[in-house]
Amino acid sequence: MNLFRDLHLRLLTLLNELQQENSLPIPCDFSKVSVESPRDDTHGDISTNAAMVLSKLSSSTPKVLAENIKKKLSTLDFVTSVDIAGPGFINIRLSDDFWRSYLKKILENGSLYGTSTEGAGKTVNVEYVSVNPTGPMHAGHGRVAVVGDALATLLESVGFNVIREYYVNDAGGQLDTLARSVHIRYLEALGEKVPPIPEGLYPGDYLIPVGHALAEKYGPLYKNAPESEWLEIFRVFSVNAMMDLIRNDLSLLGIHHDVFTSENELVKDGVVERMIATLKKEHLVYTGTLEAPKGKTLEDWEPRPQLLFKSTLFGDDTDRPLQKSDGSWTYFAKDIACHYDKYSRTQGALYNVWGADHGGYVKRIKAAVEAISHGQNHLEVILCQMVNLMEDGIPLKMSKRSGTFITLQEVIEKVGKDVFRLIILMRKNDAPFDFDFSKVLEKSSENPVFYIQYAHARIQSVKRQALETFPHLDLSSEALSAASLTSLQESAEINLIKILSSWPRHVELAASSLEPHRLGFFLHNLAAHFHALWNLGKENTELRFIHPQSLQKTQDRLVLLTCVAQVLSNGLQLLGVKALDEMR
């Protein structure tokens, strides 16, 4: 259920009536007619641009058409006033009875309130995290993981069939570096004295158990063996161990992927060759020579013929090489193959959630996806900025566990999954984020995580107190739906219902804009209005949630609070966070 869509349909019915009365032509394009919240809520509850956009199609001026639409809107029993503003905008106020009755719709929908079928079951693919399997995840990876996971859940909530995918970059030179690093730990496990980890290798203690596992499996077999004998074996073993480590990190955040796609397997299975063949059929690859990269001179640049993708046909700055001088595929070619594979399986929209360091790569990969899908598929890339870990304003950087950075596991151990997820989703993904441990754990209204969770816990506390006052009180949805709600008269109460009514629209807007942080903003705003109403009850006894002398007033307010708690719970669930019933 979406109030704005329902009202939009009502408006279209009235516009059809105006067509029958010859006030609007037949046919008439209503596609640009919108129903929105006014920018200034003092102007009304709902506004529409109908007169503005339709006057061009009729012989009437915007104001004359607005007057005709106003007459129609005024006949609706839940409309209390219709005002025409400026050149023809129409502002509408709805009755308090309408808003009170809306609470019962929220009760009826319960945990499904805010979901929709806008996606119509279409399959989409969300690729996120895709950390190189060379070590544990850090907080920046955690941000990408949380944003991607919340986006996937958000798209599911509006009716899409979502494939959650992790692309394993297991075919690059960094994996040889990993294998060499693990070989040192293997020698250590065999009792060998080894020098400090050389620069350029991975120094983290997380590789010690991998070395021990290899020592248990192979004994001293590769102790003195040449690198050519053990490199591939150690590489495969280490990648698997690192992926187990990464999966464990993800599980700490409550994140699980449907598909793990191996770059190495794509190459072995010939997906790159099939992708190249597809591009050749479309005449989108050729053998040519690129200009020297910026900063390179003819003295240190040797131009040579290469297999190139016509990336410039799709808006890229230059055509891109697909094959190296030794005949192996470039990273870009393998990345196109990954998207070719995803598109072949999905036949729908692709979404990548990446770290901001991939920003320069976006244009070329979007060009490639447009090419391999014949313009039928779109790829959207969501970039997440860095996370700076701090304690009381002082930056934190080093960790013995990883060797160079504080691991995600260390962060989660300190603050917990829900705090990390929610604080991440209270920020726009494209803005740098200072994650201060002391602030995210602070129990005050300045901490949005505490503020939102406290609102839900406070409501549960009120319910427990109400049961103490009225031991036979029935708090089931069926019983609450029978409440009269007539005692909800104050503007603060009605305004809170209006905020609740906009939840489904905020969910759909967050999904269409690919911005899950919008939900975090909404929940914080809802919590603020709830806490404000709580505080008003200290000054005005009529606004208190429990009235010991009036079961009806208590029931009416419990209906309102139950709906607030339901929306808070629904929203937190979309963000992968559990709503708390009490806080200690």
Side-chain angles (χ1 to χ4, degrees):
M1 56 183 289
N2 185 321
L3 171 65
F4 292 87
R5 186 181 297 110
D6 293 344
L7 293 176
H8 186 263
L9 292 174
R10 292 262 194 160
L11 177 59
L12 293 182
T13 299
L14 299 179
L15 294 177
N16 286 328
E17 291 178 9
L18 288 176
Q19 284 183 300
Q20 302 305 318
E21 296 167 7
N22 296 320
S23 294
L24 284 172
I26 301 175
C28 190
D29 182 9
F30 295 149
S31 62
K32 295 182 180 179
V33 173
S34 65
V35 171
E36 307 283 346
S37 296
R39 291 183 180 178
D40 185 345
D41 57 15
T42 63
H43 294 165
D45 300 321
I46 303 292
S47 69
T48 178
N49 63 350
M52 296 289 295
V53 299
L54 297 180
S55 63
K56 299 175 184 178
L57 305 176
S58 70
S59 57
S60 302
T61 64
K63 284 199 172 184
V64 169
L65 183 54
E67 286 291 346
N68 290 333
I69 296 173
K70 175 181 177 178
K71 291 176 184 176
K72 290 291 183 182
L73 288 168
S74 298
T75 64
L76 299 175
D77 58 6
F78 55 84
V79 171
T80 57
S81 68
V82 182
D83 298 311
I84 300 171
F89 286 104
I90 301 172
N91 294 318
I92 310 159
R93 288 188 185 281
L94 309 181
S95 69
D96 287 354
D97 282 341
F98 173 86
W99 293 116
R100 284 189 284 266
S101 67
Y102 199 86
L103 290 175
K104 298 188 178 183
K105 295 182 180 180
I106 299 175
L107 288 176
E108 181 183 344
N109 282 267
S111 62
L112 295 178
Y113 180 61
T115 61
S116 75
T117 58
E118 283 293 286
K122 295 176 183 175
T123 298
V124 297
N125 182 294
V126 182
E127 180 206 318
Y128 56 106
V129 191
S130 298
V131 179
N132 288 340
T134 56
M137 295 171 62
H138 57 61
H141 298 143
R143 187 179 197 183
V144 174
V146 167
V147 171
D149 193 57
L151 176 61
T153 303
L154 181 57
L155 291 170
E156 283 177 335
S157 77
V158 296
F160 288 98
N161 174 39
V162 178
I163 298 173
R164 290 169 159 85
E165 185 145 350
Y166 187 117
Y167 181 47
V168 184
N169 297 114
D170 55 358
Q174 76 274 12
L175 280 311
D176 290 340
T177 302
L178 174 67
R180 294 183 182 110
S181 305
V182 169
H183 189 260
I184 293 175
R185 300 300 190 179
Y186 162 75
L187 295 176
E188 277 184 334
L190 292 174
E192 291 290 303
K193 271 195 169 184
V194 296
I197 305 297
E199 188 174 347
L201 298 186
Y202 299 111
D205 286 357
Y206 62 89
L207 293 180
I208 293 176
V210 184
H212 277 278
L214 282 163
E216 284 185 24
K217 183 172 183 178
Y218 294 109
L221 180 62
Y222 297 113
K223 179 179 175 180
N224 298 311
E227 181 180 285
S228 58
E229 290 186 15
W230 55 258
L231 185 65
E232 179 63 20
I233 294 170
F234 276 47
R235 174 185 171 122
V236 172
F237 190 95
S238 300
V239 167
N240 289 334
M242 292 304 97
M243 286 308 302
D244 287 342
L245 197 64
I246 289 169
R247 284 188 181 93
N248 181 66
D249 287 345
L250 291 171
S251 69
L252 294 176
L253 287 172
I255 293 174
H256 305 277
H257 289 79
D258 302 313
V259 178
F260 285 83
T261 298
S262 162
E263 175 187 350
N264 200 35
E265 291 301 315
L266 288 178
V267 175
K268 287 183 179 179
D269 293 346
V271 177
V272 182
E273 284 85 353
R274 291 197 294 276
M275 176 273 295
I276 295 290
T278 298
L279 294 179
K280 283 182 176 179
K281 286 181 182 178
E282 302 295 328
H283 305 289
L284 293 175
V285 295
Y286 66 101
T287 300
T289 303
L290 292 176
E291 295 181 2
K294 291 180 180 179
K296 296 284 186 179
T297 63
L298 291 177
E299 287 73 26
D300 58 5
W301 166 254
E302 182 181 346
R304 56 182 176 76
Q306 290 178 284
L307 185 65
L308 303 174
F309 166 57
K310 296 180 180 179
S311 188
T312 50
L313 292 180
F314 304 94
D316 197 4
D317 302 322
T318 184
D319 291 342
R320 303 290 177 177
L322 299 173
Q323 211 162 13
K324 299 177 185 178
S325 56
D326 62 2
S328 64
W329 302 115
T330 62
Y331 178 83
F332 181 54
K334 290 181 284 187
D335 213 13
I336 301 176
C338 167
H339 288 79
Y340 175 82
D341 177 62
K342 286 195 295 186
Y343 177 64
S344 299
R345 289 183 278 112
T346 304
Q347 294 296 309
L350 307 180
Y351 301 103
N352 291 347
V353 185
W354 289 345
D357 54 333
H358 288 76
Y361 197 68
V362 172
K363 189 179 287 187
R364 71 188 72 173
I365 198 62
K366 291 186 78 168
V369 171
E370 186 174 350
I372 61 178
S373 66
H374 311 290
Q376 297 302 307
N377 176 269
H378 75 269
L379 167 68
E380 294 290 344
V381 179
I382 297 92
L383 298 176
C384 297
Q385 287 289 345
M386 292 289 294
V387 176
N388 304 308
L389 295 177
M390 311 180 82
E391 182 77 63
D392 293 320
I394 300 173
L396 302 174
K397 293 182 180 179
M398 298 303 291
S399 164
K400 183 180 179 182
R401 192 179 301 178
S402 68
T404 55
F405 56 84
I406 297 175
T407 66
L408 178 64
Q409 182 177 351
E410 290 171 297
V411 176
I412 302 304
E413 286 172 354
K414 189 163 186 176
V415 304
K417 168 185 81 75
D418 286 355
V419 169
F420 183 82
R421 287 189 68 118
L422 189 49
I423 200 69
I424 288 294
L425 294 166
M426 291 300 301
R427 300 290 191 280
K428 292 183 178 180
N429 56 274
D430 58 357
F433 180 30
D434 291 337
F435 186 100
D436 194 313
F437 286 102
S438 59
K439 290 184 178 180
V440 303
L441 293 174
E442 190 177 80
K443 294 182 178 181
S444 77
S445 59
E446 299 301 313
N447 179 358
V449 174
F450 174 82
Y451 200 56
I452 294 169
Q453 290 282 30
Y454 187 40
H456 189 272
R458 228 176 192 180
I459 291 170
Q460 305 314 312
S461 176
V462 171
K463 288 184 174 182
R464 290 191 292 269
Q465 293 174 41
L467 286 171
E468 291 175 4
T469 305
F470 300 99
H472 301 294
L473 180 63
D474 188 348
L475 294 179
S476 66
S477 295
E478 294 77 10
L480 292 175
S481 295
S484 68
L485 306 180
T486 54
S487 67
L488 298 177
Q489 297 283 344
E490 295 294 327
S491 60
E493 295 169 329
I494 301 300
N495 285 337
L496 191 52
I497 300 172
K498 292 177 182 179
I499 293 170
L500 294 173
S501 74
S502 67
W503 169 243
R505 183 166 178 268
H506 275 82
V507 174
E508 289 185 5
L509 286 174
S512 63
S513 63
L514 308 179
E515 294 178 331
H517 68 265
R518 285 176 177 249
L519 304 187
F521 290 2
F522 176 92
L523 296 178
H524 189 263
N525 181 55
L526 176 59
H529 279 79
F530 162 75
H531 289 304
L533 182 58
W534 170 285
N535 291 329
L536 286 175
K538 295 178 182 178
E539 305 166 6
N540 183 349
T541 57
E542 286 300 307
L543 290 178
R544 290 180 181 172
F545 301 136
I546 299 175
H547 291 258
Q549 306 306 318
S550 175
L551 177 60
Q552 183 208 334
K553 287 183 178 180
T554 302
Q555 282 180 319
D556 288 353
R557 278 150 186 80
L558 287 176
V559 171
L560 175 58
L561 296 195
T562 298
C563 290
V564 173
Q566 185 69 70
V567 172
L568 288 171
S569 177
N570 291 356
L572 290 171
Q573 185 175 5
L574 284 180
L575 300 181
V577 176
K578 181 181 179 181
L580 299 180
D581 289 345
E582 56 183 339
M583 299 182 72
R584 301 182 185 276

